[in-house]
Amino acid sequence: MTNAQEPVLAIDGPGGAGKGTVSRLIAERLGWHLLDSGALYRLTAHAAGKHGVALDDEAGLAELAETLDVAFLAENGNARVILEGEDVSRAIRTEETGERASRVAVLQRVRDALLDRQRGFQKSPGLVADGRDMGTVVFPHATLKIFLTASAQERARRRFYQLQESGVNASLSSLLNEIQARDARDMQRAVAPLKAASDAVELDTTELSIPDVVDRIQRLLAESGLKPSI
Ligand code: DC
């Protein structure tokens, strides 16, 4: 059952800063729920393509977002995303869908339509929420807010290797251009722009490994008294 009293660890920041991996690892260690809010924007963009809804049709997109028939499954440590009965786990991770998601994400009505769905993830024993506006808009009373950053060059490099590992060819320079364009759109949009909450702890991960980042957040959690036992 949804419970607004349950603790929330909000992890925001630009794409490629390590939020996804870090959030998943911390959620696994704590045994908490995980909200990958970017996936909801990606799913809305993907569903729009499937149903022929234009990316400037705000009302049509908001309706899609509101009624998304989606299931997040965890199988042998792998997250699977099922949209209308179809496994779209890979399809929603492409650069193209990311680009389309960032266009969909500027629309107020789409963001509003996804708000309750996101807050519904706040359940016992706690939630790790990964996104752009977790600490500012969706969970303003989050118990601990982290803002993860890394230089655009480092984020492009990480993405490059990630894509290579999954067998996808990409060019480093075009990834850097895409990351910079996406950052600009996410930070400059009027609605829920990407920015650190005033009470967020900022962590620059450019020089840090994933285990380093996880350790630091664990320490912050312990200091906050949120989960002293980890
Ligand atoms: O984190 P991601 O790359 O999966 O996110 C895809 C797009 O969705 C990204 O360009 C910004 C947008 N987004 C958002 O506006 N708010 C969120 N809470 C999460 C993602």
Side-chain angles (χ1 to χ4, degrees), residues 116-222:
D116 282 348
R117 193 186 286 263
Q118 294 176 86
R119 289 185 175 148
F121 280 75
Q122 187 176 5
K123 291 179 192 169
S124 176
L127 172 68
V128 180
D130 157 5
R132 303 293 192 287
D133 61 343
M134 299 296 98
T136 51
V137 176
V138 183
F139 301 107
H141 304 297
T143 334
L144 178 64
K145 301 177 185 177
I146 304 287
F147 195 77
L148 279 194
T149 59
S151 69
Q153 284 76 7
E154 173 63 15
R155 289 185 283 130
R157 206 183 58 82
R158 289 177 188 171
R159 185 74 183 129
F160 179 77
Y161 288 118
Q162 205 179 37
L163 287 171
Q164 259 196 347
E165 259 172 38
S166 50
V168 179
N169 280 325
S171 116
L172 193 55
S173 62
S174 62
L175 284 174
L176 180 59
N177 288 339
E178 281 163 21
I179 279 180
Q180 285 169 331
R182 184 122 37 105
D183 280 358
R185 193 174 308 126
D186 290 348
M187 289 192 281
Q188 287 160 14
R189 68 178 176 227
V191 189
L194 168 64
K195 65 168 187 214
S198 57
D199 50 351
V201 178
E202 293 199 35
L203 272 184
D204 184 335
T205 72
T206 307
E207 310 276 335
L208 297 176
S209 68
I210 294 285
D212 286 343
V213 179
V214 170
D215 281 352
R216 289 207 188 187
I217 297 177
Q218 279 191 308
R219 251 182 280 137
L220 289 165
L221 276 170

Side-chain angles (χ1 to χ4, degrees), residues 66-81:
E66 179 103 47
T67 56
L68 276 181
D69 170 14
V70 59
F72 293 95
L73 308 177
E75 269 177 19
N76 308 324
N78 287 324
R80 285 178 63 214
V81 186

